[in-house]
């Protein structure tokens, strides 16, 4: 088996979940790699709604998307406002990559003050059986407060309503990313 990166691991769950015609959200667009992946999965009839607070990120994502741009809505807005763009109970999958834009300014990063409200709103937007995929990056640049807040929030979700799976890169040093998958049971 090859060395599995966190993005590949998370995409496994995206592929299992997303069907043509679905509505998905990329809560942290960044350079647009997950947005593009989701746009391919939702097909011509589906839609991917993406959010980022950096115009450079959205510009990069638009280039990455190319002819798939018609399947997306990209918003220069915080992920905590995603509920303005999708209806409750209609979203198949939401993906978050917490931290900073790869190759970007490390002082501009997601923060627990907006990320926790965004996750809460996202859970309301998910349809029954919907999935939220969280890639939690932490370390000196992006801090540990957000990581701890996100993991504590996920651990506190009612097990009757949500299945939460957290995976660790157990033998990796230097704060490897932590993938978390949340399934809305009903």
């Amino acid at each position: 088996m090859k060395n599995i990166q966190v993005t590949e691991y998370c995409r496994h769950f995206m592929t299992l979940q997303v069907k043509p015609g679905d509505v998905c959200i990329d809560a942290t667009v960044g350079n647009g790699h997950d947005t593009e992946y989701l746009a391919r999965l939702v097909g011509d009839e589906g839609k991917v709604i993406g959010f980022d607070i950096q115009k450079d990120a959205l510009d990069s994502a638009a280039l990455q998307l190319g002819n798939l741009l018609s399947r997306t809505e990209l918003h220069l807005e915080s992920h905590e406002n995603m509920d303005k763009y999708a209806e409750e109970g209609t979203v198949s999958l939401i993906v978050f990559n917490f931290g900073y834009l790869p190759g970007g300014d490390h002082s501009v990063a997601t923060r627990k003050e907006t990320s926790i409200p965004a996750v809460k709103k996202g859970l309301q937007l998910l349809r029954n059986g919907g999935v939220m995929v969280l890639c939690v990056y932490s370390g000196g640049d992006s801090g540990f407060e957000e990581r701890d807040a996100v993991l504590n929030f996920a651990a506190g979700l009612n097990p009757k309503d949500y299945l939460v799976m957290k995976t660790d890169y157990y033998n990796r040093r230097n704060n490897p990313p932590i993938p978390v998958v949340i399934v809305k049971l009903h």
Side-chain angles (χ1 to χ4, degrees), residues 4-147:
I4 299 174
Q5 300 299 316
V6 70
T7 51
E8 292 174 56
Y9 179 83
C10 291
R11 285 185 178 175
H12 171 75
F13 294 97
M14 293 180 204
T15 303
L16 291 175
Q17 176 65 19
V18 179
K19 305 291 184 254
D22 280 353
V23 174
C24 297
I25 293 177
D26 186 346
T28 50
V29 168
N31 289 315
H33 298 291
D34 286 337
T35 313
E36 178 189 12
Y37 192 78
L38 291 171
R40 291 186 189 286
L41 293 175
V42 300
D44 289 330
E45 302 303 315
K47 177 171 62 172
V48 180
I49 306 167
F51 301 91
D52 209 290
I53 60 169
Q54 298 179 78
K55 186 175 182 332
D56 289 347
L58 295 179
D59 291 343
S60 176
L63 287 173
Q64 176 76 24
L65 286 161
N67 65 350
L68 298 173
L69 192 58
S70 63
R71 299 176 184 181
T72 67
E73 293 177 13
L74 299 178
H75 299 283
L76 183 61
E77 179 140 30
S78 174
H79 51 218
E80 70 181 317
N81 296 315
M82 70 173 70
D83 59 330
K84 295 179 182 177
Y85 299 90
E87 293 182 34
E88 189 171 313
T90 63
V91 178
S92 176
L93 182 128
I94 301 173
V95 62
F96 285 86
N97 283 284
F98 296 109
Y100 54 84
L101 176 67
D105 180 356
H106 291 207
S107 69
V108 180
T110 56
R111 303 278 182 239
K112 69 179 181 177
E113 292 79 15
T114 58
S115 295
I116 296 300
V119 171
K120 287 179 181 178
K121 289 178 180 181
L123 292 173
Q124 296 300 309
L125 296 177
L126 285 177
R127 68 182 190 213
N128 294 339
V131 172
M132 182 178 287
V133 177
L134 312 173
C135 294
V136 184
Y137 295 88
S138 63
D141 288 337
S142 58
F144 300 101
E145 287 183 12
E146 182 181 46
R147 176 200 65 192

Side-chain angles (χ1 to χ4, degrees), residues 9 13 132 134 136 147-148 150-152 154-155 163-170 176-183:
Y9 179 83
F13 294 97
M132 182 178 287
L134 312 173
V136 184
R147 176 200 65 192
D148 295 345
V150 168
L151 294 178
N152 287 333
L163 170 65
V164 179
M165 298 176 287
K166 174 184 160 269
T167 305
D168 290 320
Y169 284 86
Y170 202 55
I178 301 168
V180 178
V181 177
I182 302 171
V183 180

